[in-house]
């Protein structure tokens, strides 16, 4: 019993250690290996399917159903998708993703039936929950081996017979079965058709699925007892246990190099399938879970030298290469020991350009005018020297052409050269261009693009014209099917279309590691450019942009590449890059060197928590993180991000809200934003890498609700309420003002009537009394007294005339009809005409009238208003002055103003009333309530833009009235 307990203890410890080890990453022969297990959420390791959708999200199928994978861990998919859990938790056999439908096809066995379920990811990620997972097909029987999928069909062995299902628009439109039975496995290869095998004969058949019953034709006998197919490579059918040689073409299959296969040989018997993610990483899955393989370490075969390289030639069939350097010619080999040996120590610093010669020989042209051209044979041995014009320096060469000649770019322009027994004959082409030429590139129509120190030129060998296309120091040119790429010194690169028009720029600010481009080569295998700069090598996709930067950390000989020192072998996948410290060779067919997709972070899931509620999770809705606004009291929101670029694993995720400041956090943590503010927001995300800069920026949107009283309807309602109250208050104010104005009008009317009655009663009563007096005196014939009465009649007429004039002008004022009329008038004459009118009244009270007039002969003024002002002032002065006290009248003109002054003595009993009137005038009250005359004086003075002042002088015994009127008022009232 003790031994059994001890054994169980050690087994438990070993399992825990193995589980801990599964989450760690190990390096084996340059391959990073990581096994996923329980720590990453993979509770059941019996995996039957793993695919990646176009977003980069992984989907895994095992005996517990469908799971989601974001590069870090696995999640159960049923609660995330919101679909019927019964469809997504059944034991699964096969998983397939159709890109054009953006849908998963899940094959499960349930109660003895084969079921095909479709999961529409496009609808689910767009928030359409009305289209859940749906069973498309169900039939009795289980399948053998692994089915074969295309974008529109599925082939599987069910019950020993071949089953064909065709899909269209998310539905199965064709179900067909073979007439034969007994087969166990099905594979397919492009151009090879559908292949099936069966036990125990191990015979490989081709099935014709275009004919009814799918008739078979025998191909060969398999000697490999394992039929668990991983892939079909060029000329090889690879199974989990080994390889079966067969001339099959595999245009669309995944390539698996030997080193990766070696990395899984410890688990290959358990592997049931493999796949690749968007970043190019391999995943192997089976009964022991999931293993990820990523190539690490050097990507180049490098030969280091202490000096820079020039021209390069290489023959892969003999593994012989010749390298021209700044210190002479070297022979090198890329297989076996990577090294270079100097051929001729005497020939140093001479050869920059090279061109091919028949029979595998290579011709090197000298830069130094003292040296001849040299030819090396296929074995790398020197074949012979050929003299050349010593006045010429050769920077580049193109050829041989159809006639056997070469085009040379020299310091004297474009030259045509021919190789003869006596040396190299050169002929200057009749082209109006004498700039030093760095590179030559044909356009395909007999013309050539020339990279010169003065710019990019288009020339024809038979025409003297040279058309300047781009200015600047151009170092290199490379063509590709859509146009050309041109490299500059200090200006990056330009891409030209087939019409030789610039369509795009590639500079340091756009991700280029250096602004000087020394070399460009177009890789026809991967359809992308390799751009050699002053600070590294760049893989550039014309459609997707910069994919990756290569530096010495990737095995490059040096970060600074050399001008014209790049070689791409025709019909081969090898590219040799020359640097200032040696050469580096890359096989562009290796699966880990190029990342076809370099996208930014993708948010696949979104979670938030509001006050008083639990956390809520949802799949992201494409560019919208959540399908509806978040509550206003959201405490936090958390973003789940896909990270598949394991080779350049990001060390940080950078994010910012609404174009604010960038914030950073470790990439292995979920991004959490605390207490987001109300409103619509945009969040921008990007990965930061230790060596290769930053990823592209991805953008998402989300909205947080406002507090109800800050929402738009509430604010609109509040605005309507405020406007309504403002309108009501304004209406009430206007009504009150109208009522007050009406009351004031009534009071003014009553006052006017009382004033008129008072001012008219006195002269009219005098006329009535004088009429009786005249009648009496006429009977007595008292002519002397009658003459005195006539003067009284004249005085009463004057008073009555003044009252009526004041009434008339006041009515005009009230109707806005009285306006000043200025003209040149004699003010002295006006005053002299007014004084006699008051002589009788003044003599009766023994009041002398003293006048002092000091004005120009003619003065611009309104004669009518000035006359009325003076008459009213004199009338009040004579009427209110005590007997025997003089009245003074003064008229003067100073500082552009006409001054009217009337001064008279007052009675002691009238002092209080006069003081009250003066106070009302100083306070600007509208009505002094003292007769028409005084009110008219105020209104008339205002019309003339003048001022009216009353004051008590001489110890409050005299009243002085002063009117100041501008000679030329700015405006009237």
């Amino acid at each position: 019993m003790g031994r059994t307990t001890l054994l169980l203890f050690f087994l438990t410890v070993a399992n825990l250690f193995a589980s801990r080890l599964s989450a760690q990453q190990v390096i084996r022969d340059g391959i990073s290996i990581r096994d996923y297990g329980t720590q990453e959420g993979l509770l059941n390791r019996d995996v039957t399917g793993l695919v990646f959708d176009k977003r980069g999200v992984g989907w895994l199928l095992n005996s517990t159903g469908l799971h989601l994978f974001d590069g870090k861990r696995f999640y159960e998919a049923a609660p995330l998708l919101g679909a019927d859990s019964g469809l997504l938790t059944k034991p699964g056999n096969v998983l397939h993703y159709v890109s054009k439908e953006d849908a998963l096809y899940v094959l499960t066995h349930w109660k003895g039936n084969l079921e095909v379920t479709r999961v529409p990811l496009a609808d689910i990620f767009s928030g359409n929950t009305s289209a859940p997972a749906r069973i498309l097909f169900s039939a009795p029987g289980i399948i053998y081996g692994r089915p074969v999928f295309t974008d529109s069909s599925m082939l599987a062995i069910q019950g020993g017979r071949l089953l064909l299902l065709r899909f269209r628009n998310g539905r199965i439109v064709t179900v067909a079965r073979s007439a034969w039975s007994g087969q166990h496995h099905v594979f397919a290869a492009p151009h090879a058709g559908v292949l099936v095998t069966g036990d125990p004969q191990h015979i490989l058949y081709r099935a014709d699925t275009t004919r009814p019953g799918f008739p078979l034709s025998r191909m060969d006998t398999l000697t490999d007892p394992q039929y668990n197919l991983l892939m079909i490579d060029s000329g090889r059918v690879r199974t989990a246990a080994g390889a079966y040689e067969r001339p099959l073409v595999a245009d669309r299959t995944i390539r698996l190099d030997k080193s990766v296969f070696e990395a899984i040989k410890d688990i290959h018997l358990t592997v049931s399938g493999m796949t690749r993610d968007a970043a190019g990483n391999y995943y192997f899955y089976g009964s022991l879970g999931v293993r990820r393989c990523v190539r690490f370490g050097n990507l180049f075969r490098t030969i280091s030298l202490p000096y820079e390289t020039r021209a390069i030639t290489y023959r892969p069939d003999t593994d012989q290469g010749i390298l021209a350097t700044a210190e002479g010619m070297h022979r090198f080999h890329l297989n076996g020991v990577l090294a270079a040996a100097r051929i001729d120590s005497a020939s140093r610093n001479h050869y920059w350009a090279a061109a091919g010669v028949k029979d595998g020989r290579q011709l090197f042209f000298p830069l130094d005018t003292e040296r001849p051209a040299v030819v090396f044979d296929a074995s790398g041995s020197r074949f012979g020297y050929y003299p050349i014009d010593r006045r010429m320096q050769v920077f580049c060469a193109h050829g041989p052409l159809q006639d056997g000649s070469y085009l040379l770019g020299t310091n004297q322009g474009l030259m045509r050269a021919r190789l003869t027994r006596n040396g190299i004959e050169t002929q200057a082409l009749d082209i109006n261009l004498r700039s030093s030429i760095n590179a030559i590139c044909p356009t395909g129509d007999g013309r050539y693009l020339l990279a010169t120190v003065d710019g990019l030129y288009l020339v024809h060998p038979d025409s003297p014209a040279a058309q300047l296309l781009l200015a600047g120091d151009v170092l290199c040119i490379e063509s590709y099917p859509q146009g050309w790429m041109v490299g500059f010194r200090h200006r990056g690169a330009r891409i030209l279309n087939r019409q030789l028009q610039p369509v795009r720029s590639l500079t340091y600010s756009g991700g280029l590691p250096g602004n000087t481009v020394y070399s460009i080569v177009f890789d026809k295998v991967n359809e992308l450019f390799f751009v050699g700069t002053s600070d590294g090598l760049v893989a550039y996709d014309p459609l997707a942009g910069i994919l990756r930067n290569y530096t010495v950390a990737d095995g490059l000989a040096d970060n600074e590449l050399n001008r014209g020192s790049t070689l791409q072998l025709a019909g081969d996948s090898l590219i040799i890059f020359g640097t200032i410290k040696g050469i580096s060779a890359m096989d562009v067919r290796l699966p880990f060197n190029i990342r076809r997709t370099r996208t930014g972070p993708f948010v696949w899931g979104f979670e938030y928590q509001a006050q008083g509620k639990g956390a809520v999770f949802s799949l992201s809705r494409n560019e919208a993180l959540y399908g509806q606004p978040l509550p206003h009291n959201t405490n936090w929101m958390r973003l789940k991000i896909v990270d598949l670029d394991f080779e350049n694993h990001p060390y940080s995720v950078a994010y910012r809200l609404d174009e604010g400041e960038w914030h950073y956090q470790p990439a292995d943590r979920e991004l959490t934003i605390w207490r987001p503010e109300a409103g619509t927001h945009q969040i921008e995300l990007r990965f930061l890498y230790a060596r290769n800069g930053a990823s592209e920026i991805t953008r998402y949107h989300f909205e947080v609700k406002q507090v109800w009283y800050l929402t738009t309807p509430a604010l609109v309602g509040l605005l309507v309420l405020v406007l309504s109250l403002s309108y009501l208050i304004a209406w009430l104010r206007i009504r009150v003002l109208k009522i007050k104005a009406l009351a004031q009008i009534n009071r003014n009317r009553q006052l006017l009537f009382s004033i008129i009655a008072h001012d008219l009663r006195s002269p009219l009563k005098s006329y009535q009394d004088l009429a009786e007096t005249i009648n009496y005196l006429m009977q007595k014939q008292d002519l002397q007294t009658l003459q005195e009465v006539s003067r009284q009649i004249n005085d009463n007429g004057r008073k009555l005339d003044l009252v009526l004039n004041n009434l008339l002008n006041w009515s005009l004022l009230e109707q806005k009809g009285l306006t000043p009329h200025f003209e040149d008038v004699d003010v002295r004459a006006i005053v002299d005409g007014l004084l006699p009118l008051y002589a009788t009244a003044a003599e009766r009270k023994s009041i002398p009238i003293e006048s002092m007039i000091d004005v120009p002969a003619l003065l611009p003024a309104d004669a009518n208003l000035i006359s009325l002002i003076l008459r009213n002032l004199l009338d009040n002065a004579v009427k209110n002055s005590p007997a025997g006290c003089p009245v003074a009248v003064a008229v003067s003109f100073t500082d552009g103003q006409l001054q009217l002054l009337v001064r008279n003595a007052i009675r002691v009993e009238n002092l209080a009333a006069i003081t009250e009137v003066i106070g009302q005038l100083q306070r600007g009250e509208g009505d002094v309530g003292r007769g028409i005359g005084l009110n008219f004086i105020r209104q008339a003075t205002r019309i003339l833009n003048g001022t009216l002042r009353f004051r008590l002088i001489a110890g409050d015994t005299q009243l002085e009235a002063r009117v100041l009127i501008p000679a030329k008022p700015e405006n009237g009232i």
Side-chain angles (χ1 to χ4, degrees):
M1 184 68 178
R3 292 181 179 179
T4 304
T5 304
L6 186 61
L7 178 61
L8 290 176
F9 172 76
F10 279 113
L11 288 175
T12 302
V13 172
N15 287 334
L16 290 175
F17 179 76
S19 175
R20 173 70 63 181
L21 187 63
S22 68
Q24 296 178 351
Q25 180 171 282
V26 297
I27 306 295
R28 183 189 304 166
D29 297 330
I31 301 294
S32 170
I33 300 173
R34 179 176 180 179
D35 292 332
Y36 291 86
T38 55
Q39 287 188 343
E40 292 78 30
L42 191 60
L43 302 181
N44 189 316
R45 296 193 181 189
D46 187 12
V47 179
T48 56
L50 177 62
V51 296
F52 290 87
D53 64 25
K54 61 184 181 182
R55 302 168 188 81
V57 178
W59 301 92
L60 178 139
L61 189 66
N62 60 13
S63 57
T64 59
L66 190 64
H67 297 71
L68 184 147
F69 176 58
D70 63 1
K72 297 181 282 292
R73 61 177 294 106
F74 295 89
Y75 305 83
E76 291 186 8
L80 304 182
L81 300 181
D84 187 351
S85 60
L87 299 177
L88 301 176
T89 57
K90 298 175 182 178
N93 291 81
V94 178
L95 185 63
H96 179 65
Y97 174 70
V98 180
S99 178
K100 67 179 183 180
E101 295 182 20
D102 195 14
L104 293 174
Y105 285 84
V106 185
L107 272 68
T108 58
H109 286 146
W110 185 250
K111 297 181 180 180
N113 288 342
L114 168 65
E115 294 182 353
V116 180
T117 303
R118 182 177 184 270
V119 183
L121 299 182
D123 294 334
I124 292 172
F125 274 99
S126 63
N128 182 8
T129 58
S130 62
R134 181 165 50 91
I135 297 177
L136 301 182
F137 176 80
S138 179
I142 62 174
I143 62 173
Y144 296 93
R146 297 190 59 80
V148 173
F149 278 93
T150 68
D151 285 345
S152 59
S153 66
M154 182 200 78
L155 290 163
I157 301 295
Q158 184 188 31
R161 301 172 63 187
L162 182 62
L163 170 67
L164 171 64
L165 302 178
R166 285 196 173 94
F167 311 105
R168 184 184 301 161
N169 299 326
R171 299 180 180 276
I172 294 179
V173 295
T174 301
V175 179
R177 291 181 173 86
S178 65
W180 43 262
S181 62
Q183 303 302 319
H184 287 226
H185 300 276
V186 59
F187 348 113
H191 311 298
V194 178
L195 308 178
V196 295
T197 64
D199 288 332
Q201 296 87 2
H202 313 307
I203 299 174
L204 185 66
Y205 295 93
R206 177 183 286 113
D208 188 354
T209 58
T210 63
R211 298 169 59 188
F214 308 154
L216 299 177
S217 58
R218 180 168 176 166
M219 294 183 63
D220 208 342
T221 301
L222 292 172
T223 58
D224 192 337
Q226 298 292 334
Y227 304 109
N228 198 4
L229 182 69
L230 286 181
M231 61 174 296
I232 303 176
D233 203 349
S234 297
R236 185 179 295 261
V237 179
R238 187 184 297 280
T239 66
Y244 172 67
E245 298 294 337
R246 189 68 187 169
L248 301 176
V249 181
D251 296 341
R252 300 174 61 187
T253 58
I254 301 173
R255 296 186 178 275
L256 185 66
D257 67 349
K258 182 179 179 181
S259 59
V260 176
F261 189 75
E262 291 295 325
I264 64 167
K265 63 182 180 181
D266 60 324
I267 62 167
H268 74 280
L269 292 177
T270 67
V271 172
S272 61
M274 74 174 185
T275 186
R276 289 180 74 182
D277 60 23
N281 308 298
Y282 282 110
Y283 294 84
F284 299 90
Y285 55 89
S287 58
L288 290 182
V290 177
R291 172 171 290 186
R292 187 199 73 213
C293 295
V294 183
R295 179 184 294 278
F296 276 81
N298 294 342
L299 303 177
F300 299 89
R301 286 175 284 175
T302 294
I303 298 176
S304 297
L305 295 170
Y307 27 77
E308 58 183 307
T309 60
R310 303 299 192 204
I312 306 173
T313 64
Y314 178 76
R315 291 195 57 177
D317 54 346
T318 62
D319 189 28
Q320 297 285 340
I322 303 297
L323 174 63
T325 73
E327 294 295 327
M329 307 295 292
H330 291 70
R331 182 184 296 110
F332 68 90
H333 307 274
L334 291 179
N335 296 326
V337 179
L338 300 178
R342 181 175 296 167
I343 299 173
D344 184 1
S345 60
S347 58
R348 296 186 176 182
N349 196 23
H350 305 303
Y351 299 95
W352 269 27
V357 189
K358 63 180 181 179
D359 301 329
R361 290 176 291 169
Q362 296 291 324
L363 173 62
F364 287 81
F365 293 95
L367 179 67
D368 193 332
T369 58
E370 298 297 325
R371 292 288 175 178
V374 63
V375 174
F376 289 88
D377 60 17
S379 64
S381 300
R382 186 170 58 251
F383 187 79
Y385 289 106
Y386 292 84
I388 193 170
D389 187 350
R390 294 188 175 184
R391 297 170 299 175
M392 182 172 59
Q393 291 179 310
V394 180
F395 298 112
C396 60
H398 175 72
L401 306 180
Q402 292 182 353
D403 60 358
S405 64
Y406 299 88
L407 292 180
L408 304 181
T410 72
N411 59 339
Q412 300 178 20
L414 189 63
M415 297 282 184
R416 188 186 297 274
R418 294 183 184 275
L419 184 62
T420 68
R421 291 182 178 180
N422 299 324
I424 297 178
E425 296 180 354
T426 59
Q427 175 188 0
L429 298 180
D430 187 18
I431 297 176
N432 297 327
L433 180 65
R434 290 297 179 264
S435 300
S436 296
I437 299 175
N438 297 320
I440 305 171
C441 183
T443 62
D445 57 359
R447 297 181 296 175
Y448 293 88
L449 292 173
L450 304 182
T452 76
V453 296
D454 297 322
L456 179 68
Y457 287 88
L458 178 65
V459 301
H460 194 285
D462 299 329
S463 173
Q467 179 184 355
L468 178 62
L469 301 179
L470 296 172
D473 189 354
V474 183
L475 300 178
C476 50
I477 320 170
E478 178 73 352
S479 65
Y480 77 112
Q482 284 72 43
W484 294 266
M485 179 181 281
V486 182
F488 290 82
R489 188 188 302 275
H490 306 312
R491 293 177 57 188
R494 303 289 186 275
I495 295 180
L496 310 182
N497 58 19
R498 298 305 299 178
Q499 291 73 39
L500 298 172
Q501 300 294 326
V503 295
R504 199 175 311 151
S505 297
L506 186 61
T507 61
Y508 179 80
S509 60
L512 206 62
N515 251 348
T516 297
V517 176
Y518 287 118
S519 62
I520 304 172
V521 62
F522 182 72
D523 171 24
K524 298 180 179 62
V525 175
N526 295 288
E527 296 184 348
L528 53 84
F529 286 102
F530 285 97
V531 183
T533 74
S534 56
D535 197 21
L537 182 68
V538 170
Y540 177 79
D541 190 324
L543 299 178
I546 292 178
L547 301 180
R548 177 169 177 174
N549 298 340
Y550 300 89
T551 64
V552 292
D554 300 297
L556 201 62
D558 192 85
N559 285 345
E560 183 174 350
L561 279 81
N562 210 5
R563 184 174 62 182
S565 184
T566 301
L567 175 66
Q568 181 182 31
L569 300 182
D572 197 273
S573 59
L574 191 69
I575 301 178
I576 303 175
F577 303 95
T579 72
I580 63 172
K581 292 184 179 180
I583 60 173
S584 298
M586 171 190 283
D587 185 353
V588 296
R589 293 188 186 275
L590 292 180
F592 299 99
N593 289 0
I594 309 300
R595 291 292 181 262
R596 296 304 301 174
T597 56
R598 179 71 179 275
T599 59
F602 172 73
V603 179
W604 65 268
F606 178 78
E607 190 176 13
Y608 75 92
Q609 190 269 329
Q611 293 181 6
K613 297 182 180 180
V616 178
F617 176 84
S618 171
L619 292 175
S620 66
R621 301 293 188 254
N622 297 327
E623 293 184 358
L625 289 178
Y626 195 53
Q628 56 188 359
L630 302 179
H632 67 87
N633 57 350
T634 299
N635 288 330
W636 52 260
M637 49 183 284
R638 186 170 296 145
L639 281 61
K640 299 181 180 295
I641 301 174
V642 174
D643 172 19
L644 298 176
D645 196 353
F646 294 102
E647 180 182 357
N648 300 310
H649 186 73
Y651 66 86
S652 177
V653 175
Y655 70 94
R656 67 175 180 177
L657 284 174
D658 303 325
E659 299 184 354
E661 295 184 0
W662 286 98
H663 302 276
Y664 306 89
Q665 75 166 37
D668 56 353
R669 299 180 186 175
E670 294 178 336
L671 177 58
T672 303
I673 299 175
W674 296 93
R675 295 181 178 84
E677 297 181 354
T680 301
H681 303 282
Q682 174 183 266
I683 183 170
E684 296 176 278
L685 305 169
R686 64 180 178 183
F687 284 136
L688 299 182
Y689 302 94
R691 288 190 294 146
N692 290 330
S695 71
E696 296 178 1
I697 295 176
T698 55
R699 295 173 176 85
Y700 295 89
H701 302 276
F702 67 94
E703 182 180 356
V704 181
K705 290 181 179 179
Q706 287 277 10
V707 184
W708 70 267
Y709 51 80
L710 294 178
T711 60
T712 300
L715 293 176
V716 171
L718 180 61
L719 179 61
V720 171
L721 179 61
V722 170
L723 292 177
S724 300
L725 291 176
S726 300
Y727 175 78
L728 179 60
I729 293 172
W731 181 81
L732 291 175
R733 183 173 179 275
I734 292 173
R735 291 292 299 171
V736 170
L737 292 176
K738 286 183 177 180
I739 292 172
K740 289 183 177 180
L742 183 59
Q744 183 64 36
I745 291 173
N746 290 331
R747 286 195 299 270
N748 290 342
R749 183 173 57 188
Q750 294 175 359
L751 178 60
L752 177 62
F753 288 157
S754 64
I755 292 174
I756 292 174
H758 177 272
D759 288 352
L760 292 180
R761 181 173 178 273
S762 178
L764 291 177
K765 183 65 171 63
S766 299
Y767 275 124
Q768 184 179 2
D769 294 340
L770 288 174
E772 295 178 357
T773 302
I774 291 172
N775 187 30
Y776 173 75
L777 292 176
M778 287 182 66
Q779 290 178 0
K780 293 187 65 175
Q781 295 295 317
D782 189 352
L783 297 178
Q784 183 177 0
T785 305
L786 189 60
Q787 187 177 3
E788 178 65 25
V789 170
S790 67
R791 286 197 298 268
Q792 294 180 7
I793 293 173
N794 184 56
D795 290 342
N796 287 333
R798 175 187 55 76
K799 293 179 181 179
L800 188 58
D801 177 67
L802 180 60
V803 171
L804 292 176
N805 272 305
N806 286 339
L807 287 173
L808 175 61
N809 287 291
W810 196 3
S811 66
L812 290 174
L813 284 173
E814 293 298 324
Q815 298 176 15
K816 308 298 182 182
L818 183 61
T819 58
H821 177 67
F822 293 92
E823 60 182 355
D824 292 335
V825 297
D826 188 353
V827 178
R828 183 184 297 274
I830 294 174
V831 177
D832 291 342
L834 289 177
L835 294 179
L837 297 177
Y838 297 93
T840 303
E843 289 178 1
R844 185 182 304 113
K845 297 175 66 175
S846 300
I847 296 176
I849 297 177
E850 301 172 355
S851 64
M852 184 178 63
I853 301 174
D854 183 15
V855 294
L858 295 176
L859 192 67
D862 187 314
N864 179 47
L865 291 178
I866 291 177
S867 176
L868 289 174
I869 291 172
L870 280 174
R871 288 181 64 184
N872 280 281
L873 291 175
L874 282 172
D875 188 74
N876 284 331
V878 172
K879 179 173 64 176
N880 295 318
S881 180
C885 295
V887 172
V889 178
V891 180
S892 62
F893 185 80
T894 57
D895 299 329
Q897 288 185 324
L898 178 65
Q899 178 177 271
L900 307 179
L901 186 144
V902 177
R903 184 186 302 117
N904 64 282
I906 59 174
R907 298 186 181 93
V908 177
E909 61 270 18
N910 293 336
L911 180 61
I914 292 173
T915 303
E916 180 184 355
V917 170
I918 293 174
Q920 290 177 344
L921 291 173
Q922 290 177 348
R923 292 192 298 270
E925 295 181 4
D927 182 24
V928 296
R930 294 294 174 179
I932 296 177
L934 186 54
N935 284 293
F936 176 75
I937 292 173
R938 294 184 61 198
Q939 297 293 342
T941 304
R942 189 177 302 168
I943 289 176
L944 295 174
N945 203 23
T947 57
L948 173 63
R949 297 175 184 173
F950 284 91
R951 64 172 181 168
L952 293 172
I953 60 176
D956 294 342
T957 59
Q958 292 184 2
L959 176 64
E960 180 183 88
R962 187 188 302 268
V963 178
L964 298 175
I965 301 172
K968 295 181 179 180
E970 295 180 1
N971 61 316
I973 296 177

